[in-house]
Amino acid sequence: MSTDPSDHRLAVVGGGVMGTNIAALAIGHGVPVVLVDVSEELLAQAEETIAFKLRHAQLMGRLPADRTPAKLLTSLSTADTADATTVIEAVTEIADTKAEVIGEVSRIVRPGTLLISNTSCIPIDELASAAARAEELVGVHFMNPAYMITMVEVIRGPRTSDATMTAVNHLLETLGRTGLVVNDAPGFVINQLLHPLINSAARLVQDGVAPVEVVDGLLEGCLGHATGPLRTADLIGLDNLVDSLNVLYERTGDTACRPCDHLLDLVDAGKFGRKTGEGFYDYRKLAS
Ligand SMILES: NC(=O)c1ccc[n+]([C@@H]2O[C@H](COP(=O)([O-])OP(=O)(O)OC[C@H]3O[C@@H](n4cnc5c(N)ncnc54)[C@H](O)[C@@H]3O)[C@@H](O)[C@H]2O)c1
């Protein structure tokens, strides 16, 4: 694989918050994408979201001016990943779901196809055990929004091969991203730090120490965070955050990672953050 976009064909499995982000990033860099999800309704919604994100990226000047956006195809079948040069798994943060997708896709694609997991917290070597060829799996933790943030966390599992690391470097260069490589661990670097912070911020609100806007305001105004932890949580999706915290808690035993009651209550109420219009903040007012 080279850094020429015409050498790449990307399959993205999972068309939610991150699958649509990654698809928009790739298409905008001239790399064609086939997006796989589980229902026609979700795929139709994902197509609209990708078109919106592509326009946003263009307006913000985040795409190379000399590349024509590539084609997007959608599919309900992982069989349509067969022709890809890279498959990115971006399904729900449930270990069994991911293992099933990675196992299935790795048996469909040709040997030598780059296999990436966008997991937030599940150790890469745990997922590699489900793959037909463990050495072809690498973690790439794209940030949200993927087309705005150029840095990514690359997770090299103990079985990830040198050839896979070379291939992922070529893909990231093609997509204009810079990767910093870390070793395998639950949550890697970013989410071992970020997720307990968000959980603690939610617990401060729960305990009445300060309201949402004050917690975020202090971290933004005093510590220079671009976005406070609770606004960040709404962007991530509180359902995904709870799944990720559970992954961390189950694998580390660290009680700071056990999702606090306030987070669980918001998720039980269907308040997942931006994607449902309400989370710690109410986005419905902004839309009207
Ligand atoms: N949300 C973020 O900010 C963020 C950032 C970095 C990484 N991640 C990680 O990216 C992954 C996806 O997260 P998300 O926020 O996009 O979640 P999401 O809930 O928005 O989307 C997940 C998608 O996966 C689909 N899916 C589930 N099982 C499937 C299957 N078997 N085959 C095909 N599609 C399937 C769902 O229908 C859904 O559309 C997770 O591992 C998450 O931890 C999320």
Side-chain angles (χ1 to χ4, degrees), residues 89 248 284:
E89 167 286 300
L248 282 173
R284 295 165 305 176

Side-chain angles (χ1 to χ4, degrees), residues 12-22 36-39 42-43 46 75-76 78 89-94 97-98 100-101 104 117-122 140-145 191 195 232-233 235-237 239-241 243-244 272 275:
V12 178
V13 186
V17 171
M18 287 313 289
T20 54
N21 261 299
I22 295 164
V36 180
D37 209 309
V38 295
S39 80
L42 284 168
L43 285 172
S75 171
L76 289 173
T78 46
E89 167 286 300
V91 303
T92 320
E93 186 77 0
I94 303 287
T97 308
K98 285 191 181 291
E100 202 175 308
V101 167
E104 197 176 308
S117 174
N118 187 51
T119 178
S120 295
C121 292
I122 303 168
V140 177
H141 187 199
F142 285 92
M143 299 292 117
N144 178 10
N191 285 334
H195 282 14
T232 302
L235 183 67
I236 292 171
D239 52 340
N240 174 242
L241 186 68
D243 287 342
S244 296
F272 295 171
K275 62 177 157 186

Side-chain angles (χ1 to χ4, degrees), residues 1 112-115 133-138 154-171 181 183:
M1 239 192 302
T113 303
L114 177 61
L115 200 51
R133 295 166 297 281
E135 67 278 12
E136 289 174 1
L137 185 71
V138 61
V154 176
I155 305 101
R156 181 171 191 165
R159 288 182 277 176
T160 307
S161 67
D162 288 344
T164 299
M165 294 308 290
T166 302
V168 79
N169 284 337
H170 284 156
L171 177 74
V181 182
N183 290 324

